[in-house]
Amino acid sequence: EGRVLAIAAALERHSAHPLAHAIVMGATARVAKAFDVDGFRSVTGKGVTGALHDVPVALGNRALMDELQVPVSEAFAGLLQDHAEKGRTAMFVAEAGKVIGVVTVSDPIKAGATEAIAALAAEGVEIVMATGDAPATAKAVGRELGMTRIEAGMTPEGKHDLVLALRKSGRVVGFAGDGINDAPALAAADVGIAMGTGSDVAIESAGITLLKGDLGGAVRARRLAAATLRNIGQNLWFAFGYNAIGIPIAAGVLYPLTGWLLSPMIAAAAMALSSVSVIGNALRLNRVKL
């Protein structure tokens, strides 16, 4: 067990992925040996590889093992499946062309995430989970969150293509993510929502950043955006209303019938009242329930 964790941590020390940080912290807490690997390589959506004393080592999913032509026994495959069905992310650790163990990471659902997803669904937003995790892991988490559409085992390109496909079908797409793997999808979405606790690349690719990584912020942002658009429409009616009434009278439309002309004093007051109405209406956004 100690060697498995030590090799996993040695590889992940070179990675910026949140799961890598968890593995390194877990190895430190369990006082695992500190190894140094050479030739570190990150294989997007699959895992990481390197060499320990000129012996090849790797940490990743089944796709990485297949790419490296490392055989996976039924026992190890079953062990990974068991953990995945419990909502854990499980990864194979390989050394010298053989799988020597499995490392699992539990990524607990953030407080308030279930409520945020339920609130968005209640407002007519279709929620899709797009994750690189194995299908069993994704389904276990999805069930807990009450989600029905789950896209698992996705690469960064797969997430990007999913966003483009939804947009081509006429949907307006908001994508929330926090990792490097999410950056292409964040950039492709109509609205990219990055978690402030995530990677810098994700934050740079997004249009909105939730500083505390709270998904409830996406619910509040959407409600505020909807209220702002309604307010803009109301303000346009105020502005056009005053002008639609005032300009014809000032031009003398009523003069042949009533002899009325618009006094400059009244015109000035109407213009001021128009501005006050628009500003006063806009200030109502401070009282929007988010």
Side-chain angles (χ1 to χ4, degrees):
E1 179 180 338
R3 186 169 183 80
V4 170
L5 191 55
I7 291 175
L11 285 163
E12 293 290 39
R13 283 192 184 95
H14 299 274
S15 174
H17 196 283
L19 293 183
H21 178 70
I23 290 174
V24 172
M25 293 295 290
T28 302
R30 291 165 176 78
V31 199
K33 290 183 178 180
F35 292 147
D36 289 323
V37 297
D38 300 316
F40 173 81
R41 184 171 69 99
S42 177
V43 184
T44 304
K46 296 180 180 180
V48 292
T49 65
L52 178 62
H53 305 307
D54 296 326
V55 176
V57 291
L59 169 72
N61 55 24
R62 182 63 179 265
L64 179 64
M65 297 300 109
D66 291 341
E67 180 179 313
L68 299 176
Q69 297 182 343
V70 175
V72 179
S73 67
E74 292 185 7
F76 275 124
L79 183 61
L80 185 138
Q81 182 69 16
D82 290 341
H83 283 292
E85 290 175 354
K86 296 176 182 177
R88 302 168 186 159
T89 300
M91 294 155 280
F92 295 113
V93 179
E95 182 182 16
K98 296 180 181 180
V99 174
I100 63 171
V102 171
V103 172
T104 64
V105 178
S106 177
D107 190 9
I109 295 172
K110 290 183 179 180
T114 303
E115 292 77 7
I117 290 173
L120 287 170
E123 294 177 9
V125 179
E126 180 186 356
I127 310 295
V128 181
M129 177 192 287
T131 175
D133 283 338
T137 303
K139 289 178 181 178
V141 175
R143 282 195 301 268
E144 193 171 346
L145 289 170
M147 302 180 70
T148 56
R149 182 173 177 181
I150 300 170
E151 303 288 345
M154 302 200 77
T155 62
E157 294 78 11
K159 295 178 182 180
H160 176 267
D161 293 343
L162 174 63
V163 170
L164 292 182
L166 290 171
R167 291 187 65 183
K168 286 181 180 178
S169 68
R171 308 291 184 88
V172 177
V173 181
F175 187 93
D178 64 354
I180 295 173
N181 292 346
D182 297 320
L186 286 167
D190 292 289
V191 180
I193 306 169
M195 305 301 167
T197 53
S199 68
D200 292 339
V201 174
I203 293 173
E204 288 295 327
S205 302
I208 298 174
T209 300
L210 305 179
L211 296 181
K212 297 182 180 179
D214 177 14
L215 195 57
V219 180
R220 295 188 291 274
R222 183 179 182 278
R223 290 174 178 171
L224 181 59
T228 301
L229 286 174
R230 286 196 302 269
N231 197 277
I232 290 172
Q234 294 162 359
N235 286 341
L236 286 173
W237 278 107
F238 277 127
F240 282 119
Y242 279 106
N243 287 311
I245 296 172
I247 291 176
I249 295 177
V253 170
L254 298 179
Y255 183 77
L257 301 175
T258 63
W260 291 354
L261 287 173
L262 191 62
S263 166
M265 296 292 291
I266 297 176
M271 289 299 296
L273 186 59
S274 173
S275 299
V276 170
S277 299
V278 169
I279 295 171
N281 188 50
L283 290 174
R284 292 193 308 111
L285 289 173
N286 288 322
R287 298 195 298 272
V288 173
K289 293 182 179 180
L290 303 177

